[in-house]
Amino acid sequence: PVSSMSSSSTNELIFGVIADVQWADADDGYNYGRTVKRCFRGSLRTLDRAVDWWNNLPSTSSANMKENAFTQTKTNTPLHYIAQLGDLIDGINAAEKLNQRDSALQSALDILERAPAKPVNIVGNHELYNFNRLELSQATWLQHGDAEYYSFIPTPG
């Protein structure tokens, strides 16, 4: 969906970014090449700390409140939105492994719900390990409307 956003006093676009949370309620492990340690349980705390950081950003006055292109901000935060760039949960949550994809996803989404601006959630390869394309096309947490992408115009002109 195409949206337009404007700022009442400046043409600034301010957003938060997080990627590759890869949350799973599992003991630490390694990547497939066994070269990188994967701290599955610690990743949820990292997400929580990111949300705390966003929540502690200096507030803007109501006169400088930003319009959010995707959803309304929940406070007078300087953020327009938060880009969650995929892999919110890890592939080991899938049915053939831990079988906890829904609860893992909900745990991560519950933390993102505390953020001062709504997230724009992007599908990563680990979401594809956990959900089929039909499930993702119907997922309300993706908020993609009738399209499988996001698009916006950050400022008029």
Side-chain angles (χ1 to χ4, degrees):
V2 176
S3 299
S4 176
M5 76 172 51
S6 63
S7 175
S8 59
S9 63
T10 67
N11 287 331
E12 294 177 336
L13 174 64
I14 303 171
F15 60 97
V17 177
I18 193 159
D20 297 305
V21 173
Q22 296 181 343
W23 154 244
D25 187 9
D27 293 335
D28 292 349
Y30 289 88
N31 65 342
Y32 290 109
R34 303 209 43 86
T35 57
V36 178
K37 186 176 182 180
R38 315 256 322 275
C39 301
F40 296 115
R41 288 191 182 108
S43 66
L44 199 62
R45 179 67 188 126
T46 300
L47 176 62
D48 192 52
R49 287 193 324 254
V51 169
D52 287 345
W53 190 85
W54 292 321
N55 279 320
N56 287 314
L57 289 173
S59 296
T60 58
S61 70
S62 59
N64 292 328
M65 182 83 165
K66 306 291 192 280
E67 257 184 61
N68 189 319
F70 305 104
T71 56
Q72 292 298 315
T73 55
K74 296 186 239 176
T75 65
N76 54 348
T77 179
L79 297 175
H80 287 90
Y81 65 94
I82 295 167
Q84 187 282 110
L85 300 180
D87 296 346
L88 189 57
I89 62 173
D90 195 83
I92 66 169
N93 288 298
E96 56 277 359
K97 295 182 180 173
L98 295 176
N99 195 27
Q100 59 187 25
R101 69 177 198 173
D102 295 326
S103 62
L105 177 64
Q106 193 57 56
S107 294
L109 292 174
D110 286 348
I111 291 175
L112 279 175
E113 179 63 29
R114 291 190 312 98
K118 295 282 186 172
V120 175
N121 293 301
I122 305 298
V123 173
N125 61 313
H126 285 264
E127 279 79 30
L128 292 170
Y129 301 151
N130 283 282
F131 303 96
N132 65 44
R133 289 185 186 270
L134 179 61
E135 290 170 315
L136 290 171
S137 73
Q138 298 170 349
T140 57
W141 61 276
L142 290 174
Q143 302 175 0
H144 47 64
D146 61 352
E148 294 186 13
Y149 61 89
Y150 294 97
S151 177
F152 68 96
I153 301 166
T155 186

